[in-house]
Amino acid sequence: MLIVMKSGATPGEIDGVVQAIERLGFRAHVMPGATRTAVGITGNPGTLDPVRFEHLAGVSEAIRVTKPYKLITLDLQPDQTVVRVGDATIGGPELAIIAGPCAVESREQTFAVAEAVRASGARFLRGGAFKPRSSPYDFAGLGEEGLRILAEARETFGLKIVTEALDEAGVDLVEKYADMIQVGARNMQNFSLLRRVGKSKLPVLLKRGIAATIDEWLLAAEYVMSEGNYQVVLCERGVRTFTQHARNMLDLAAIPVIRRISHLPIVVDASHAAGKSALVRPLARAGVAAGANGVMVEVHNNPDAALCDAAQALTPEEYLTMVNEMRGIHRLLSEGVSA
Amino acid sequence: MLIVMKSGATPGEIDGVVQAIERLGFRAHVMPGATRTAVGITGNPGTLDPVRFEHLAGVSEAIRVTKPYKLITLDLQPDQTVVRVGDATIGGPELAIIAGPCAVESREQTFAVAEAVRASGARFLRGGAFKPRSSPYDFAGLGEEGLRILAEARETFGLKIVTEALDEAGVDLVEKYADMIQVGARNMQNFSLLRRVGKSKLPVLLKRGIAATIDEWLLAAEYVMSEGNYQVVLCERGVRTFTQHARNMLDLAAIPVIRRISHLPIVVDASHAAGKSALVRPLARAGVAAGANGVMVEVHNNPDAALCDAAQALTPEEYLTMVNEMRGIHRLLSEGVSA
Amino acid sequence: MLIVMKSGATPGEIDGVVQAIERLGFRAHVMPGATRTAVGITGNPGTLDPVRFEHLAGVSEAIRVTKPYKLITLDLQPDQTVVRVGDATIGGPELAIIAGPCAVESREQTFAVAEAVRASGARFLRGGAFKPRSSPYDFAGLGEEGLRILAEARETFGLKIVTEALDEAGVDLVEKYADMIQVGARNMQNFSLLRRVGKSKLPVLLKRGIAATIDEWLLAAEYVMSEGNYQVVLCERGVRTFTQHARNMLDLAAIPVIRRISHLPIVVDASHAAGKSALVRPLARAGVAAGANGVMVEVHNNPDAALCDAAQALTPEEYLTMVNEMRGIHRLLSEGVSA
Amino acid sequence: MLIVMKSGATPGEIDGVVQAIERLGFRAHVMPGATRTAVGITGNPGTLDPVRFEHLAGVSEAIRVTKPYKLITLDLQPDQTVVRVGDATIGGPELAIIAGPCAVESREQTFAVAEAVRASGARFLRGGAFKPRSSPYDFAGLGEEGLRILAEARETFGLKIVTEALDEAGVDLVEKYADMIQVGARNMQNFSLLRRVGKSKLPVLLKRGIAATIDEWLLAAEYVMSEGNYQVVLCERGVRTFTQHARNMLDLAAIPVIRRISHLPIVVDASHAAGKSALVRPLARAGVAAGANGVMVEVHNNPDAALCDAAQALTPEEYLTMVNEMRGIHRLLSEGVSA
């Protein structure tokens, strides 16, 4: 059930609706939009009678929602969400660039890469302290020590830190050191983890699962939002298909498809989709051309020696060329094109 | 590194090898086989020098392992693992049948289904107390109350309980009430959960991820085993492809492929692969014909009223026919066929 | 539009309906069933008014067909089609076995294999004279010389010959020498070829395309039938997915799904699905257990020296073991199983 | 085998090599490059001894080719092929735009669309006279009448005509009326058709099959080239995956991957990949950003009334906006980007 308030509804009227919902034992989600405020109801076991809400002061209409999701929809919030990470944003007019090493390997390596990231004008530094690895015998990250290095890089370079948490204990640590929590592709349907980050004050970067449909992905975002955290950024990172020439197949149609359903911003992880550095630049450009709000990319000061995903990391030079190309395309599309 | 003992190696010699490994700060995995014992080493950051072990008493050879997995391989244990759950087994001569409702809905429903399961001669009762659901608004199981009902059914009907845990806290509860912990497809690469069940005394049923390769699946089993729990059963439940006529595509070639790599038993979940009850029987028969050690199947006393996956549950009558067909095929293949 | 005749309709009444259809410039397809005859209409540009036919003598009802196919449906013919190839059948009570080399390489090789095929009691000899090869530089078959060798093997061993045609000229030649025309996976939507075999007097074995949906496959059969050739056998041979451990993934759910839509018989090509000989036997058994009307399999007297698909051919000994297992399962399911 | 000539080799020396190859009964393919000429040999049953050619006048080296393809490779021709269609090109500095209706429906419709295409500055008019349709009952094109309309539009608007042939007889007709022969996705491995267009004087637009690997696609081009027609343009049009939100998934990584293997130009068919008009513009922009040499797109003067693929056709207005965006991105990448 979605309660759409009148455009001139007062804070008191909105609060009255929230209280009415909570008195019934359900949960109210207030989502202010540019022209009207909507209040989503979750926690109701079945369908509710709209009449119950339509007589309340300030209510325009109560809509039965038949789609499997509510909070992520344009029905609830017609304007694009702008996720704020300090003074940086994802979903606003600026192209968000999230760059850094696959894994934090050392202070030296992280600082060398962070310097290149800052030089490019990007606002976000990525880097894994906890790495999900297919094999139990592979390098799994430096753990809390890696988080400390990232936090130090934040102070030194003024970048926002985006890093992955693999479980509930990991979220506690990431909250202590970082600015944005990444949920990885393998955990996209780890519902305990989704509920935990849904209770966090930090924004969430939610990667698409390796073979997730758009609906499953949006429902994973719905899990996070249903716990009260509305700062969610979707990250398309390629899906698994029959092809072998790239690590995954970047599904750029997902961007315009989701734009027509959801207000959440979307970024593209060009590195994991590519799996080879030579493919990263073309795919990152394509992502921006398809309308992504930002791009995530792996950069390493010495790709050949990287402990993780060496084949797909860009050198700082390749990375800078790519940033310029992406910004050119983004500017061209933002300003409108004339013949 | 894999240490293969001589066929007549004594317990004391085996223990000497274990101690040598542990003195180096690594982990030893003793896996007794029919003709020889092998000792796997995990936890070593890089490659080890075989010479270091080959002079120890009772050692036949030390083998560098280049494959990504060790403990699951036939190199380590050439005989098929027989997982023991009390007096029932999976991987032995008997066809293992794991049947029951998708979700535990009530004592009445669970007992009605359990009665049919016992009547069929099956040894395992399945039933979900914690259900992973794509939407946060769907029925997610009765939780601990569901586990209590299952435990009661165990006492009444003498069946072993197989049930899913979604997170580490859930494993604690499942250990308290059940006989075997199921790790679901969505959690196949939830490495924190895999490590936790690897520390459990209960055997583990490990479902294949929705788009997992054979290698990723075997490495997930390797995660469990690397923590010391060698009682792992693999469960093929269909993968996601371009087709829409069944819920997932049952990959029966996985059975003979894994047989040539691993000693772990494999069962087939015909219900999740099918998604429609009319397809369950043919697919379950096909699974047994392809060489599965057992079959997992959803049965409901009143499928039309099921709260979860109603479309794929069999009635008790359909289930009994299926069991007879499966046992006929299993007997025929076990006894050898003459023209 | 589908005209269902009354159960006691006379040949004259059926003929009257056919003439009425043809007077309108459309095509009539008379399909006699066990209890009633149906007459399908094709060639009509849009929908027809049922009333136009319902007043004709012997007509029970005229049904508007909204599905994309007509002639392949159980609506048109509720009984399973039995395709007759001389005194052999596919779709009847006997399990059809179609065995032979991938490609005809020589008279000697073909005869050695044909001897093993006859010894097994199979009725059909397969063998390619025209081989579709991904590379223009690979062995593409002996052409008409290969067909002559097959025709000679037919006389010597009393087997029916099933062989592929790649284009319309090839169909002319196959009609001259063989008993059944195979349309390969790559040509499943070669509509010119489908129309050509639809005009043939020989029955057609229609393989599923590498990524064809069930609907596309059935519509390909509809193309053949819409030209008047109703002797069509479907052949499931595996589809392309993200997996790499087998050549293709055998989609056994297709069998029960098609059973509920179509009267056409279905066989399983275990060799192309497997791609490796060790997988052929388990998959062939699984196909029979899932309800296939027959199995197609590659046998070679000297697999290591095969010019085509060497890795997937069985030796005559492996083949005989497989035939016995398949027949055992088929008998068990035909006779019904008792506990 | 690939014979690489010295950079200063004379026409007489090249001819001498060709004659030496033909005397052995093989086929020579002379491919002039910017700096050197290469001569490919096809038709040889096995490997040839390089020494046999290296002593010939003007030969730099003879290379054994182990890859499955020869003629499409950068080894043979290091410079990008520029396919010339009269005074228009694909593969040169200009972005090639191939636009028009899915099917030619009438002179009126074709001319209305052709006018918009000319107005956009595009050089190629597409339009189907022979439409491959999954169902035998769907509109299959106007046939030769459609070709006549296209030829008339060519005269009126000065556009080059690109149209599909479905079989060998169709190629004869397309050669009579059009400028470029399209081979559709369903026919990508129709080897008889590939050989036939390989003998044509017209350039060939070769669409990727619905589930073709890069290798299979390049080998299909190799089939065409091995018959002597080197004017081949590859067309990425999306592949089939588990997703349902777009008709196919556009595989943009294919562009940089093929660039590193082959000299053939690549265009992107945004309409078939999208399946919905709202997705066409973002995907077309992404294709150009990923480095495509051109874009193919369906335009209709009245999309709602289109007889074929109505949902994916752009209006002339949407099309013009798209052309401007694509040209902006192409210009930006051609000129190099400065920060």
Side-chain angles (χ1 to χ4, degrees), chain C residues 133 137 167 192 222-223, chain D residues 133 137 167 192 216 222-223:
Chain C
R133 300 306 296 266
Y137 310 126
D167 48 27
S192 305
E222 188 85 15
Y223 261 95
Chain D
R133 301 305 297 266
Y137 310 127
D167 48 28
S192 305
E216 288 168 345
E222 187 85 15
Y223 262 96

Side-chain angles (χ1 to χ4, degrees), chain A residues 208-213 216 238-240, chain B residues 210-211 240, chain D residues 242:
Chain A
R208 181 177 181 183
I210 189 88
T213 63
E216 289 169 344
V239 292
R240 188 163 274 175
Chain B
I210 188 88
R240 188 163 275 175
Chain D
F242 68 89

Side-chain angles (χ1 to χ4, degrees), chain C:
Chain C
M1 179 75 63
L2 205 61
I3 316 293
V4 182
M5 305 301 294
K6 290 177 182 154
S7 56
T10 65
E13 286 169 345
I14 294 170
D15 202 48
V17 170
V18 169
Q19 286 173 28
I21 292 167
E22 292 176 347
R23 265 196 307 273
L24 290 165
F26 309 144
R27 179 158 192 163
H29 298 267
V30 178
M31 314 253 336
T35 56
R36 55 178 191 167
T37 288
V39 186
I41 306 177
T42 64
N44 48 315
T47 51
L48 297 171
D49 186 356
V51 180
R52 201 192 272 267
F53 300 99
E54 285 180 340
H55 73 275
L56 295 175
V59 169
S60 163
E61 57 176 331
I63 303 169
R64 273 208 187 92
V65 178
T66 55
K67 291 174 200 147
Y69 25 67
K70 306 177 193 181
L71 305 174
I72 62 99
T73 63
L74 292 171
D75 297 337
L76 191 64
Q77 183 185 311
D79 306 315
Q80 163 111 31
T81 287
V82 179
V83 169
R84 296 182 188 284
V85 189
D87 59 344
T89 58
I90 305 177
E94 199 186 350
L95 183 73
I97 299 173
I98 307 168
C102 172
V104 174
E105 297 168 22
S106 68
R107 188 178 181 285
E108 194 181 7
Q109 165 244 23
T110 304
F111 273 52
V113 175
E115 181 139 24
V117 172
R118 185 179 57 178
S120 75
R123 307 297 307 275
F124 298 89
L125 178 68
R126 58 149 293 152
F130 303 101
K131 299 298 305 173
R133 300 306 296 266
S134 294
S135 165
Y137 310 126
D138 284 345
F139 174 64
L142 297 179
E144 188 165 3
E145 173 59 18
L147 293 175
R148 268 190 222 107
I149 293 170
L150 287 169
E152 209 184 325
R154 172 173 50 186
E155 299 314 310
T156 309
F157 297 98
L159 297 164
K160 311 299 170 194
I161 304 299
V162 183
T163 195
E164 180 165 359
L166 296 180
D167 48 27
E168 298 171 59
V171 177
D172 296 344
L173 284 170
V174 169
E175 283 176 328
K176 199 167 146 192
Y177 293 101
D179 301 293
M180 189 167 192
I181 310 169
Q182 178 177 317
V183 174
R186 292 173 179 88
N187 279 318
M188 195 205 79
Q189 291 195 315
N190 179 339
F191 301 120
S192 305
L193 183 61
L194 294 178
R195 291 200 187 278
R196 172 64 186 83
V197 300
K199 294 186 182 103
S200 179
K201 296 246 178 297
L202 293 189
V204 174
L205 183 86
L206 178 63
K207 289 206 166 183
R208 180 177 180 182
I210 188 87
T213 62
I214 299 280
D215 267 6
E216 289 168 344
W217 189 16
L218 292 174
L219 283 168
E222 188 85 15
Y223 261 95
V224 178
M225 295 181 77
S226 71
E227 296 293 330
N229 187 350
Y230 305 150
Q231 299 285 91
V232 178
V233 175
L234 301 169
C235 179
E236 163 65 32
R237 42 78 77 203
V239 292
R240 188 163 276 174
T241 72
F242 67 88
T243 60
Q244 302 294 310
H245 55 275
R247 184 163 167 174
N248 294 295
M249 193 178 287
L250 197 64
D251 177 16
L252 291 177
I255 298 172
V257 166
I258 289 177
R259 284 273 181 274
R260 296 161 70 87
I261 304 173
S262 177
H263 51 83
L264 295 175
I266 313 170
V267 300
V268 163
D269 178 345
S271 301
H272 279 85
K276 295 175 206 161
S277 61
L279 309 186
V280 174
R281 252 172 77 193
L283 290 179
R285 293 188 313 237
V288 176
N293 298 102
V295 170
M296 191 168 201
V297 62
E298 292 184 6
V299 184
H300 198 282
N301 56 326
N302 184 6
D304 293 342
L307 292 182
C308 161
D309 286 342
Q312 74 196 26
L314 298 186
T315 62
E317 293 68 36
E318 292 168 328
Y319 163 69
L320 279 174
T321 307
M322 188 189 86
V323 167
N324 288 337
E325 290 176 339
M326 295 193 307
R327 287 219 178 101
I329 295 170
H330 185 253
R331 200 180 309 124
L332 187 134
L333 296 176
S334 304
E335 292 170 358
V337 186
S338 58

Side-chain angles (χ1 to χ4, degrees), chain A:
Chain A
M1 179 75 64
L2 206 58
I3 315 294
V4 182
M5 305 302 293
K6 290 177 184 154
S7 56
T10 65
E13 286 169 345
I14 295 169
D15 201 49
V17 169
V18 169
Q19 287 174 26
I21 293 166
E22 292 176 349
R23 265 196 306 274
L24 291 164
F26 310 143
R27 182 160 188 161
H29 299 266
V30 178
M31 315 253 335
T35 56
R36 55 176 190 166
T37 289
V39 185
I41 307 177
T42 64
N44 48 315
T47 51
L48 297 172
D49 186 356
V51 179
R52 200 193 274 267
F53 300 99
E54 286 179 340
H55 72 276
L56 295 175
V59 168
S60 165
E61 58 177 330
I63 305 168
R64 271 208 189 92
V65 178
T66 56
K67 290 173 200 149
Y69 26 67
K70 305 177 192 179
L71 305 173
I72 62 98
T73 63
L74 291 171
D75 296 337
L76 190 63
Q77 182 184 312
D79 306 316
Q80 163 111 32
T81 287
V82 179
V83 169
R84 297 183 186 284
V85 189
D87 59 343
T89 59
I90 305 176
E94 198 186 352
L95 183 71
I97 299 173
I98 305 166
C102 172
V104 174
E105 298 168 20
S106 67
R107 190 179 180 283
E108 195 180 7
Q109 166 244 23
T110 303
F111 274 52
V113 175
E115 182 139 22
V117 171
R118 184 179 58 179
S120 75
R123 307 297 307 275
F124 299 90
L125 178 68
R126 58 149 294 154
F130 303 101
K131 300 298 305 173
R133 300 307 296 267
S134 294
S135 164
Y137 311 127
D138 285 345
F139 174 63
L142 297 179
E144 188 166 1
E145 173 59 18
L147 292 175
R148 268 189 221 108
I149 293 171
L150 288 169
E152 209 184 325
R154 173 173 50 184
E155 299 313 309
T156 308
F157 298 99
L159 298 164
K160 310 299 170 195
I161 303 300
V162 183
T163 195
E164 180 165 359
L166 296 179
D167 48 27
E168 300 172 59
V171 177
D172 295 343
L173 285 169
V174 169
E175 283 177 328
K176 198 168 148 191
Y177 293 102
D179 301 293
M180 189 167 191
I181 310 168
Q182 178 178 316
V183 174
R186 293 173 179 88
N187 279 317
M188 195 204 80
Q189 291 195 316
N190 178 340
F191 301 121
S192 305
L193 182 61
L194 295 178
R195 291 199 188 277
R196 172 63 186 85
V197 300
K199 294 185 183 106
S200 180
K201 296 247 179 295
L202 294 189
V204 174
L205 184 86
L206 179 63
K207 290 207 166 181
R208 181 177 181 183
I210 189 88
T213 63
I214 298 280
D215 267 5
E216 289 169 344
W217 189 16
L218 292 174
L219 283 168
E222 188 85 14
Y223 261 96
V224 177
M225 295 180 77
S226 71
E227 295 294 330
N229 187 349
Y230 305 150
Q231 299 286 91
V232 179
V233 175
L234 300 169
C235 179
E236 163 65 33
R237 41 80 75 201
V239 292
R240 188 163 274 175
T241 73
F242 67 90
T243 60
Q244 300 295 310
H245 56 274
R247 183 162 166 176
N248 295 295
M249 193 176 288
L250 196 63
D251 176 16
L252 292 177
I255 298 173
V257 166
I258 288 177
R259 284 272 182 273
R260 296 161 69 88
I261 303 172
S262 177
H263 51 84
L264 295 175
I266 312 170
V267 300
V268 162
D269 178 344
S271 301
H272 279 85
K276 297 174 204 162
S277 61
L279 310 184
V280 174
R281 252 173 74 193
L283 290 179
R285 292 189 312 238
V288 176
N293 298 101
V295 169
M296 193 169 199
V297 62
E298 292 183 6
V299 184
H300 198 281
N301 56 324
N302 183 6
D304 293 343
L307 292 181
C308 160
D309 286 343
Q312 74 196 27
L314 299 186
T315 62
E317 293 68 36
E318 293 167 328
Y319 163 69
L320 279 174
T321 308
M322 187 188 87
V323 168
N324 288 336
E325 290 176 339
M326 295 192 309
R327 287 219 179 102
I329 294 170
H330 185 253
R331 201 179 310 124
L332 188 134
L333 296 177
S334 304
E335 293 170 358
V337 187
S338 57

